[in-house]
Amino acid sequence: MSTISPQYSHSQVNRAGDVLRRSDSPDSARLEAAEILANWRARHNYPINTFQATLRDKLKTVDEEAIVAQRLKRIPSIVEKLKRYPGMQLARMEDIGGLRAIVSDLDGVRRLYDGYRHAHFKHVLFKEHDYIQEPKETGYRSIHLVYQYRNDLNEEARNHNGLLLEVQLRTRLQHAWAAAVETAGTMLNCQLKSGEGPPEWLDFFAATGSAFAHLERQPPVPGYQHLSALETYQLVARLAQQLMVRQKLSGFSAVIDNTQAHEGRTYYLLSLDPVAGSVQTWAYGRDSFELATSDYLKAEEAILTGSQQQAVLVATKSIQDLRWAYPSFFLDTREFLGILARIERLASGT
């Protein structure tokens, strides 16, 4: 199992976070802080791998067609979160290491959730958020489980005790919405998923999140509880027409299809250049995690000093799962647009 030795104390990690959150930090200090963060982030790979094995085992009785993917949080995303929450310490950030399960329907999510809630293992359920029962105002819906890793099997495992990681459970519908938000955010060069950007787009995705909730017969998004399902569908149809959502999203994604399959690999480094309209993929074997994380840092150092490119290091079972788990990095909104067409038909009564 790929593991990275700790090189910095928690206090050094937290100081690095403080450097990265300050906009006036010199580039040299930011790059040094990024190296500290990269080591801290890479340490989360060991517990994520442990949790991925558990997740895949649970899915055998829930949804064998589910997609499982793990990722190490992007440095720009970490920095943006540190800026949003000035009191947050980097060493206590809950989603540096993330694991995602995308299942076919809500019943599968609930069964998987129950499986975790009644699991008999030493890992501590640190925090949970049911954004399906209580959606975010942005329209985001999913279940998040934050665990504190606990494993006394051997010294290597004990070295990772205390690390926090996040497990996300979502349906295909919820995943399509989230991917479309990220893609639109890339198109508009803003953080729509964090509630930042043009108000008309934020309103569209919040209303669409509520419409998706109605499709799954779940509570609507805050601010849209007064609308019936039909009224919500009609609102989404109007907003989509006004913003020319279909034309903009489909036109944007059509230019991105430049990746090659690398079967039999575990880690994939994706680099998206939204200006040039291209995405590159590098694949690494299971024993090449250290090289993968080193290349990941190099890509992000360019981003920290002004590049508009985006990079992410993920692990999936296959290239097909990669494209499905992270469609926003391929600017692919076809799944979302298909559901939007369904909502438009419901709005018109057809």
Side-chain angles (χ1 to χ4, degrees):
M1 185 178 295
S2 299
T3 182
I4 297 293
S5 300
Q7 297 179 13
Y8 306 96
S9 67
H10 281 205
S11 60
Q12 288 176 301
V13 171
N14 288 330
R15 284 197 295 271
D18 291 337
V19 169
L20 290 168
R21 68 154 51 94
R22 291 198 301 268
S23 301
D24 59 351
S25 297
D27 284 349
S28 58
R30 292 174 67 81
L31 292 176
E32 182 179 351
E35 290 186 9
I36 296 174
L37 168 53
N39 175 260
W40 172 252
R41 178 178 62 181
R43 288 189 59 205
H44 291 72
N45 191 59
Y46 185 98
I48 293 175
N49 281 334
T50 301
F51 266 74
Q52 180 182 170
T54 301
L55 176 57
R56 291 191 182 278
D57 186 60
K58 291 181 180 299
L59 284 169
K60 291 177 182 178
T61 59
V62 174
D63 184 353
E64 291 188 344
E65 300 301 318
I67 301 297
V68 174
Q70 66 188 56
R71 66 97 181 96
L72 296 175
K73 194 174 183 71
R74 293 177 279 167
I75 288 181
S77 297
I78 293 172
V79 173
E80 189 270 334
K81 191 168 185 177
L82 288 171
K83 290 180 178 179
R84 273 204 329 273
Y85 303 102
M88 177 180 289
Q89 293 186 321
L90 176 56
R92 300 300 292 170
M93 190 175 288
E94 299 167 359
D95 59 346
I96 297 290
L99 185 62
R100 177 180 298 165
I102 307 162
V103 300
S104 59
D105 55 33
L106 196 60
D107 177 67
V109 167
R110 291 300 177 192
R111 290 168 60 198
L112 191 56
Y113 175 54
D114 288 342
Y116 270 102
R117 288 303 310 274
H118 298 98
H120 298 288
F121 47 43
K122 294 182 179 180
H123 311 298
V124 179
L125 181 58
F126 184 76
K127 190 179 294 185
E128 62 179 289
H129 305 280
D130 189 342
Y131 295 121
I132 298 176
Q133 284 298 307
E134 298 181 1
K136 289 187 176 184
E137 292 184 356
T138 60
Y140 178 83
R141 299 183 311 118
S142 179
I143 291 178
H144 291 192
L145 303 173
V146 179
Y147 281 93
Q148 189 175 61
Y149 184 77
R150 295 289 179 188
N151 192 338
D152 296 323
L153 179 64
N154 51 47
E155 184 177 356
E156 183 179 36
R158 287 193 294 272
N159 284 337
H160 298 83
N161 281 346
L163 292 179
L164 298 174
L165 59 95
E166 182 182 78
V167 180
Q168 295 180 3
L169 314 177
R170 57 173 62 165
T171 65
R172 290 184 55 161
L173 201 74
Q174 294 157 10
H175 183 61
W177 180 93
V181 170
E182 289 205 35
T183 301
T186 299
M187 177 185 73
L188 299 168
N189 194 27
C190 63
Q191 291 288 328
L192 288 178
K193 68 177 183 179
S194 299
E196 301 173 4
E200 60 273 19
W201 280 93
L202 292 172
D203 291 344
F204 167 73
F205 279 113
T208 306
S210 201
F212 279 32
H214 280 295
L215 291 176
E216 293 187 316
R217 301 183 184 278
Q218 296 301 302
V221 170
Y224 297 88
Q225 301 97 324
H226 64 289
L227 298 178
S228 67
L230 178 58
E231 290 170 333
T232 305
Y233 300 151
Q234 291 172 338
L235 173 61
V236 168
R238 288 198 303 272
L239 294 176
Q241 185 175 25
Q242 292 169 10
L243 290 174
M244 300 178 65
V245 170
R246 185 173 301 282
Q247 296 90 325
K248 290 177 180 177
L249 290 185
S250 61
F252 194 53
S253 62
V255 299
I256 308 295
D257 190 17
N258 183 30
T259 187
Q260 297 179 354
H262 299 277
E263 298 301 339
R265 304 299 176 92
T266 298
Y267 301 104
Y268 296 90
L269 175 60
L270 304 181
S271 178
L272 168 66
D273 186 339
V275 177
S278 63
V279 62
Q280 292 181 285
T281 306
W282 292 268
Y284 305 84
R286 184 176 178 82
D287 297 329
S288 300
F289 174 71
E290 190 168 353
L291 174 60
T293 194
S294 175
D295 289 347
Y296 190 15
L297 177 58
K298 290 177 184 176
E300 290 183 307
E301 285 176 340
I303 297 169
L304 285 174
T305 55
S307 170
Q308 293 189 41
Q309 293 189 356
Q310 299 179 29
V312 68
L313 179 65
V314 303
T316 60
K317 189 168 60 175
S318 67
I319 194 71
Q320 289 82 6
D321 284 4
L322 175 68
R323 292 184 67 97
W324 175 241
Y326 292 91
S328 59
F329 253 78
F330 298 90
L331 306 183
D332 185 352
T333 57
R334 287 173 294 180
E335 186 84 5
F336 173 81
L337 292 176
I339 302 167
L340 178 60
R342 177 183 169 191
I343 290 173
E344 290 169 333
R345 290 194 296 271
L346 290 170
S348 64
T350 59

Short mmCIF file of all heavy atoms in Angstrom, two decimals, residues 56-100:
data_model
loop_
_atom_site.label_atom_id
_atom_site.label_comp_id
_atom_site.label_asym_id
_atom_site.label_seq_id
_atom_site.Cartn_x
_atom_site.Cartn_y
_atom_site.Cartn_z
N ARG A 56 -15.85 -0.65 -1.17
CA ARG A 56 -16.13 -1.59 -2.26
C ARG A 56 -16.79 -2.87 -1.72
O ARG A 56 -17.65 -3.45 -2.38
CB ARG A 56 -14.85 -1.91 -3.02
CG ARG A 56 -14.31 -0.74 -3.83
CD ARG A 56 -13.20 -1.17 -4.78
NE ARG A 56 -12.65 -0.05 -5.50
CZ ARG A 56 -13.19 0.48 -6.60
NH1 ARG A 56 -14.32 -0.04 -7.08
NH2 ARG A 56 -12.62 1.50 -7.20
N ASP A 57 -16.37 -3.30 -0.54
CA ASP A 57 -16.97 -4.48 0.06
C ASP A 57 -18.44 -4.23 0.39
O ASP A 57 -19.29 -5.09 0.14
CB ASP A 57 -16.19 -4.86 1.32
CG ASP A 57 -16.67 -6.18 1.92
OD1 ASP A 57 -16.60 -7.20 1.23
OD2 ASP A 57 -17.12 -6.17 3.08
N LYS A 58 -18.76 -3.08 0.94
CA LYS A 58 -20.14 -2.75 1.28
C LYS A 58 -21.01 -2.64 0.03
O LYS A 58 -22.19 -3.00 0.03
CB LYS A 58 -20.20 -1.44 2.06
CG LYS A 58 -19.62 -1.53 3.47
CD LYS A 58 -19.73 -0.20 4.19
CE LYS A 58 -19.14 -0.28 5.59
NZ LYS A 58 -19.83 -1.26 6.44
N LEU A 59 -20.44 -2.15 -1.07
CA LEU A 59 -21.20 -1.95 -2.30
C LEU A 59 -21.59 -3.26 -2.97
O LEU A 59 -22.50 -3.28 -3.81
CB LEU A 59 -20.42 -1.07 -3.27
CG LEU A 59 -20.41 0.42 -2.94
CD1 LEU A 59 -19.40 1.16 -3.80
CD2 LEU A 59 -21.81 1.03 -3.13
N LYS A 60 -20.95 -4.35 -2.63
CA LYS A 60 -21.27 -5.64 -3.24
C LYS A 60 -22.73 -6.03 -2.98
O LYS A 60 -23.34 -6.74 -3.79
CB LYS A 60 -20.33 -6.72 -2.71
CG LYS A 60 -18.89 -6.58 -3.18
CD LYS A 60 -18.00 -7.65 -2.56
CE LYS A 60 -16.55 -7.49 -2.99
NZ LYS A 60 -15.66 -8.49 -2.34
N THR A 61 -23.26 -5.61 -1.85
CA THR A 61 -24.65 -5.95 -1.51
C THR A 61 -25.59 -4.77 -1.72
O THR A 61 -26.77 -4.86 -1.42
CB THR A 61 -24.75 -6.41 -0.04
OG1 THR A 61 -24.27 -5.37 0.82
CG2 THR A 61 -23.93 -7.67 0.18
N VAL A 62 -25.07 -3.66 -2.22
CA VAL A 62 -25.89 -2.46 -2.42
C VAL A 62 -26.05 -2.12 -3.90
O VAL A 62 -27.16 -1.99 -4.41
CB VAL A 62 -25.29 -1.25 -1.67
CG1 VAL A 62 -26.06 0.04 -1.99
CG2 VAL A 62 -25.29 -1.49 -0.17
N ASP A 63 -24.93 -2.00 -4.60
CA ASP A 63 -24.96 -1.60 -6.01
C ASP A 63 -23.61 -1.96 -6.64
O ASP A 63 -22.65 -1.21 -6.50
CB ASP A 63 -25.24 -0.11 -6.14
CG ASP A 63 -25.39 0.35 -7.58
OD1 ASP A 63 -25.13 -0.46 -8.50
OD2 ASP A 63 -25.77 1.52 -7.80
N GLU A 64 -23.56 -3.08 -7.31
CA GLU A 64 -22.30 -3.53 -7.91
C GLU A 64 -21.86 -2.66 -9.08
O GLU A 64 -20.70 -2.72 -9.50
CB GLU A 64 -22.42 -4.98 -8.36
CG GLU A 64 -22.53 -5.98 -7.20
CD GLU A 64 -22.46 -7.42 -7.67
OE1 GLU A 64 -22.63 -7.65 -8.89
OE2 GLU A 64 -22.23 -8.32 -6.83
N GLU A 65 -22.77 -1.84 -9.60
CA GLU A 65 -22.44 -0.95 -10.71
C GLU A 65 -22.01 0.44 -10.24
O GLU A 65 -21.75 1.32 -11.05
CB GLU A 65 -23.65 -0.80 -11.64
CG GLU A 65 -24.13 -2.11 -12.25
CD GLU A 65 -23.05 -2.80 -13.06
OE1 GLU A 65 -22.34 -2.10 -13.81
OE2 GLU A 65 -22.90 -4.02 -12.93
N ALA A 66 -21.95 0.63 -8.93
CA ALA A 66 -21.58 1.93 -8.38
C ALA A 66 -20.15 2.31 -8.78
O ALA A 66 -19.30 1.44 -9.01
CB ALA A 66 -21.71 1.93 -6.86
N ILE A 67 -19.91 3.60 -8.86
CA ILE A 67 -18.58 4.12 -9.17
C ILE A 67 -17.92 4.56 -7.87
O ILE A 67 -18.54 5.26 -7.05
CB ILE A 67 -18.65 5.32 -10.13
CG1 ILE A 67 -19.34 4.92 -11.43
CG2 ILE A 67 -17.26 5.88 -10.41
CD1 ILE A 67 -18.63 3.87 -12.23
N VAL A 68 -16.68 4.14 -7.67
CA VAL A 68 -15.91 4.54 -6.49
C VAL A 68 -14.68 5.29 -6.97
O VAL A 68 -13.98 4.85 -7.89
CB VAL A 68 -15.48 3.32 -5.66
CG1 VAL A 68 -14.55 3.75 -4.52
CG2 VAL A 68 -16.70 2.60 -5.10
N ALA A 69 -14.43 6.43 -6.36
CA ALA A 69 -13.24 7.21 -6.72
C ALA A 69 -12.70 7.89 -5.48
O ALA A 69 -13.46 8.23 -4.56
CB ALA A 69 -13.58 8.26 -7.78
N GLN A 70 -11.40 8.05 -5.43
CA GLN A 70 -10.78 8.77 -4.33
C GLN A 70 -9.90 9.87 -4.89
O GLN A 70 -9.39 9.78 -6.00
CB GLN A 70 -9.96 7.82 -3.46
CG GLN A 70 -8.75 7.21 -4.17
CD GLN A 70 -8.07 6.14 -3.35
OE1 GLN A 70 -8.70 5.17 -2.95
NE2 GLN A 70 -6.78 6.31 -3.08
N ARG A 71 -9.77 10.93 -4.09
CA ARG A 71 -8.94 12.03 -4.56
C ARG A 71 -8.27 12.73 -3.39
O ARG A 71 -8.74 12.67 -2.25
CB ARG A 71 -9.76 13.03 -5.37
CG ARG A 71 -10.83 13.79 -4.56
CD ARG A 71 -10.34 15.14 -4.11
NE ARG A 71 -11.34 15.87 -3.32
CZ ARG A 71 -11.37 15.88 -2.02
NH1 ARG A 71 -10.50 15.18 -1.32
NH2 ARG A 71 -12.28 16.60 -1.35
N LEU A 72 -7.15 13.37 -3.67
CA LEU A 72 -6.49 14.25 -2.72
C LEU A 72 -6.86 15.67 -3.11
O LEU A 72 -6.66 16.07 -4.26
CB LEU A 72 -4.98 14.04 -2.75
CG LEU A 72 -4.50 12.65 -2.31
CD1 LEU A 72 -2.99 12.51 -2.51
CD2 LEU A 72 -4.86 12.39 -0.85
N LYS A 73 -7.39 16.41 -2.18
CA LYS A 73 -7.95 17.74 -2.47
C LYS A 73 -6.92 18.65 -3.14
O LYS A 73 -5.75 18.71 -2.73
CB LYS A 73 -8.44 18.36 -1.17
CG LYS A 73 -9.35 19.58 -1.35
CD LYS A 73 -9.89 20.03 0.00
CE LYS A 73 -10.86 21.19 -0.10
NZ LYS A 73 -12.16 20.76 -0.69
N ARG A 74 -7.36 19.38 -4.13
CA ARG A 74 -6.49 20.28 -4.87
C ARG A 74 -6.01 21.43 -3.99
O ARG A 74 -6.79 21.97 -3.19
CB ARG A 74 -7.22 20.84 -6.09
CG ARG A 74 -7.55 19.80 -7.16
CD ARG A 74 -8.32 20.41 -8.30
NE ARG A 74 -9.75 20.53 -7.98
CZ ARG A 74 -10.61 21.24 -8.69
NH1 ARG A 74 -10.20 21.93 -9.73
NH2 ARG A 74 -11.87 21.28 -8.36
N ILE A 75 -4.76 21.84 -4.16
CA ILE A 75 -4.23 22.94 -3.36
C ILE A 75 -5.03 24.22 -3.57
O ILE A 75 -5.36 24.90 -2.58
CB ILE A 75 -2.73 23.15 -3.66
CG1 ILE A 75 -1.90 22.00 -3.05
CG2 ILE A 75 -2.24 24.49 -3.09
CD1 ILE A 75 -0.41 22.11 -3.25
N PRO A 76 -5.39 24.63 -4.80
CA PRO A 76 -6.22 25.84 -4.94
C PRO A 76 -7.54 25.73 -4.18
O PRO A 76 -8.01 26.72 -3.61
CB PRO A 76 -6.45 25.92 -6.45
CG PRO A 76 -5.27 25.25 -7.05
CD PRO A 76 -4.98 24.10 -6.12
N SER A 77 -8.14 24.54 -4.14
CA SER A 77 -9.38 24.35 -3.39
C SER A 77 -9.13 24.46 -1.89
O SER A 77 -9.96 25.01 -1.14
CB SER A 77 -10.01 23.00 -3.71
OG SER A 77 -10.38 22.92 -5.07
N ILE A 78 -7.99 23.94 -1.44
CA ILE A 78 -7.63 24.04 -0.03
C ILE A 78 -7.42 25.51 0.35
O ILE A 78 -7.92 25.98 1.38
CB ILE A 78 -6.36 23.23 0.26
CG1 ILE A 78 -6.63 21.73 0.07
CG2 ILE A 78 -5.83 23.51 1.67
CD1 ILE A 78 -5.39 20.86 0.16
N VAL A 79 -6.69 26.24 -0.49
CA VAL A 79 -6.43 27.65 -0.22
C VAL A 79 -7.72 28.45 -0.19
O VAL A 79 -7.93 29.29 0.70
CB VAL A 79 -5.46 28.23 -1.27
CG1 VAL A 79 -5.31 29.73 -1.10
CG2 VAL A 79 -4.10 27.54 -1.18
N GLU A 80 -8.60 28.18 -1.14
CA GLU A 80 -9.88 28.89 -1.20
C GLU A 80 -10.70 28.63 0.06
O GLU A 80 -11.33 29.55 0.62
CB GLU A 80 -10.65 28.45 -2.45
CG GLU A 80 -11.90 29.25 -2.75
CD GLU A 80 -13.14 28.67 -2.08
OE1 GLU A 80 -13.15 27.46 -1.81
OE2 GLU A 80 -14.09 29.43 -1.83
N LYS A 81 -10.66 27.40 0.57
CA LYS A 81 -11.39 27.06 1.78
C LYS A 81 -10.78 27.72 3.00
O LYS A 81 -11.49 28.19 3.90
CB LYS A 81 -11.42 25.54 1.96
CG LYS A 81 -12.37 25.06 3.05
CD LYS A 81 -12.57 23.56 2.98
CE LYS A 81 -13.63 23.09 3.98
NZ LYS A 81 -13.88 21.63 3.87
N LEU A 82 -9.45 27.79 3.06
CA LEU A 82 -8.78 28.47 4.17
C LEU A 82 -9.15 29.96 4.19
O LEU A 82 -9.29 30.55 5.27
CB LEU A 82 -7.26 28.31 4.04
CG LEU A 82 -6.70 26.92 4.34
CD1 LEU A 82 -5.23 26.86 3.96
CD2 LEU A 82 -6.87 26.55 5.81
N LYS A 83 -9.30 30.55 3.03
CA LYS A 83 -9.68 31.97 2.96
C LYS A 83 -11.13 32.17 3.39
O LYS A 83 -11.47 33.17 4.02
CB LYS A 83 -9.45 32.50 1.55
CG LYS A 83 -8.00 32.64 1.15
CD LYS A 83 -7.85 33.18 -0.27
CE LYS A 83 -6.38 33.37 -0.63
NZ LYS A 83 -6.22 33.86 -2.02
N ARG A 84 -11.99 31.20 3.04
CA ARG A 84 -13.40 31.30 3.40
C ARG A 84 -13.61 31.17 4.90
O ARG A 84 -14.54 31.76 5.46
CB ARG A 84 -14.22 30.21 2.70
CG ARG A 84 -14.72 30.59 1.33
CD ARG A 84 -15.95 29.82 0.89
NE ARG A 84 -16.12 28.48 1.35
CZ ARG A 84 -15.62 27.40 0.76
NH1 ARG A 84 -14.86 27.53 -0.31
NH2 ARG A 84 -15.86 26.19 1.24
N TYR A 85 -12.75 30.37 5.53
CA TYR A 85 -12.88 30.13 6.97
C TYR A 85 -11.57 30.53 7.65
O TYR A 85 -10.69 29.69 7.89
CB TYR A 85 -13.19 28.65 7.23
CG TYR A 85 -14.43 28.17 6.54
CD1 TYR A 85 -14.35 27.41 5.36
CD2 TYR A 85 -15.70 28.47 7.03
CE1 TYR A 85 -15.50 26.97 4.71
CE2 TYR A 85 -16.85 28.03 6.40
CZ TYR A 85 -16.74 27.28 5.24
OH TYR A 85 -17.88 26.85 4.60
N PRO A 86 -11.42 31.81 7.99
CA PRO A 86 -10.15 32.32 8.53
C PRO A 86 -9.68 31.62 9.80
O PRO A 86 -8.49 31.57 10.08
CB PRO A 86 -10.46 33.80 8.80
CG PRO A 86 -11.60 34.12 7.89
CD PRO A 86 -12.42 32.87 7.80
N GLY A 87 -10.61 31.07 10.59
CA GLY A 87 -10.22 30.41 11.82
C GLY A 87 -9.85 28.95 11.66
O GLY A 87 -9.44 28.29 12.63
N MET A 88 -9.95 28.42 10.47
CA MET A 88 -9.68 27.00 10.24
C MET A 88 -8.18 26.72 10.22
O MET A 88 -7.41 27.43 9.57
CB MET A 88 -10.31 26.54 8.92
CG MET A 88 -10.02 25.09 8.56
SD MET A 88 -10.78 24.61 7.00
CE MET A 88 -12.51 24.55 7.47
N GLN A 89 -7.78 25.67 10.91
CA GLN A 89 -6.39 25.21 10.86
C GLN A 89 -6.26 24.13 9.79
O GLN A 89 -7.09 23.23 9.70
CB GLN A 89 -5.97 24.65 12.22
CG GLN A 89 -5.88 25.68 13.32
CD GLN A 89 -5.33 25.09 14.60
OE1 GLN A 89 -5.65 23.96 14.97
NE2 GLN A 89 -4.48 25.84 15.28
N LEU A 90 -5.20 24.23 9.01
CA LEU A 90 -5.01 23.29 7.90
C LEU A 90 -4.96 21.84 8.39
O LEU A 90 -5.53 20.94 7.76
CB LEU A 90 -3.72 23.63 7.15
CG LEU A 90 -3.32 22.70 6.02
CD1 LEU A 90 -4.43 22.57 4.98
CD2 LEU A 90 -2.03 23.20 5.35
N ALA A 91 -4.32 21.60 9.53
CA ALA A 91 -4.18 20.23 10.03
C ALA A 91 -5.51 19.64 10.50
O ALA A 91 -5.58 18.44 10.78
CB ALA A 91 -3.16 20.19 11.17
N ARG A 92 -6.55 20.47 10.59
CA ARG A 92 -7.87 19.99 11.01
C ARG A 92 -8.88 20.04 9.88
O ARG A 92 -10.08 19.80 10.12
CB ARG A 92 -8.38 20.81 12.20
CG ARG A 92 -7.50 20.77 13.43
CD ARG A 92 -7.34 19.37 13.97
NE ARG A 92 -8.59 18.85 14.52
CZ ARG A 92 -8.78 17.60 14.87
NH1 ARG A 92 -7.81 16.70 14.70
NH2 ARG A 92 -9.93 17.20 15.38
N MET A 93 -8.45 20.33 8.68
CA MET A 93 -9.38 20.33 7.55
C MET A 93 -9.87 18.91 7.31
O MET A 93 -9.09 17.97 7.28
CB MET A 93 -8.71 20.90 6.30
CG MET A 93 -9.68 21.15 5.16
SD MET A 93 -8.92 21.97 3.71
CE MET A 93 -8.68 23.63 4.35
N GLU A 94 -11.19 18.77 7.13
CA GLU A 94 -11.81 17.45 7.16
C GLU A 94 -11.78 16.69 5.84
O GLU A 94 -12.02 15.48 5.83
CB GLU A 94 -13.26 17.58 7.63
CG GLU A 94 -13.40 18.17 9.02
CD GLU A 94 -14.81 18.58 9.34
OE1 GLU A 94 -15.69 18.42 8.45
OE2 GLU A 94 -15.07 19.06 10.46
N ASP A 95 -11.54 17.37 4.73
CA ASP A 95 -11.69 16.69 3.44
C ASP A 95 -10.43 16.75 2.58
O ASP A 95 -10.52 16.76 1.35
CB ASP A 95 -12.88 17.27 2.67
CG ASP A 95 -12.75 18.78 2.43
OD1 ASP A 95 -11.88 19.42 3.06
OD2 ASP A 95 -13.50 19.32 1.59
N ILE A 96 -9.26 16.79 3.22
CA ILE A 96 -8.00 16.71 2.45
C ILE A 96 -7.99 15.42 1.64
O ILE A 96 -7.65 15.40 0.45
CB ILE A 96 -6.79 16.75 3.38
CG1 ILE A 96 -6.72 18.07 4.14
CG2 ILE A 96 -5.50 16.52 2.59
CD1 ILE A 96 -6.37 19.26 3.30
N GLY A 97 -8.36 14.33 2.28
CA GLY A 97 -8.51 13.05 1.59
C GLY A 97 -9.98 12.73 1.44
O GLY A 97 -10.72 12.76 2.42
N GLY A 98 -10.42 12.46 0.23
CA GLY A 98 -11.84 12.23 -0.01
C GLY A 98 -12.09 10.96 -0.80
O GLY A 98 -11.32 10.58 -1.68
N LEU A 99 -13.19 10.31 -0.45
CA LEU A 99 -13.62 9.08 -1.11
C LEU A 99 -15.07 9.26 -1.51
O LEU A 99 -15.88 9.78 -0.72
CB LEU A 99 -13.46 7.91 -0.16
CG LEU A 99 -13.74 6.50 -0.66
CD1 LEU A 99 -12.78 6.13 -1.78
CD2 LEU A 99 -13.61 5.51 0.49
N ARG A 100 -15.43 8.88 -2.72
CA ARG A 100 -16.77 9.12 -3.24
C ARG A 100 -17.38 7.84 -3.79
O ARG A 100 -16.72 7.10 -4.52
CB ARG A 100 -16.69 10.18 -4.34
CG ARG A 100 -17.99 10.51 -5.04
CD ARG A 100 -17.76 11.58 -6.09
NE ARG A 100 -17.28 12.81 -5.50
CZ ARG A 100 -16.73 13.80 -6.19
NH1 ARG A 100 -16.56 13.68 -7.49
NH2 ARG A 100 -16.33 14.90 -5.57
#
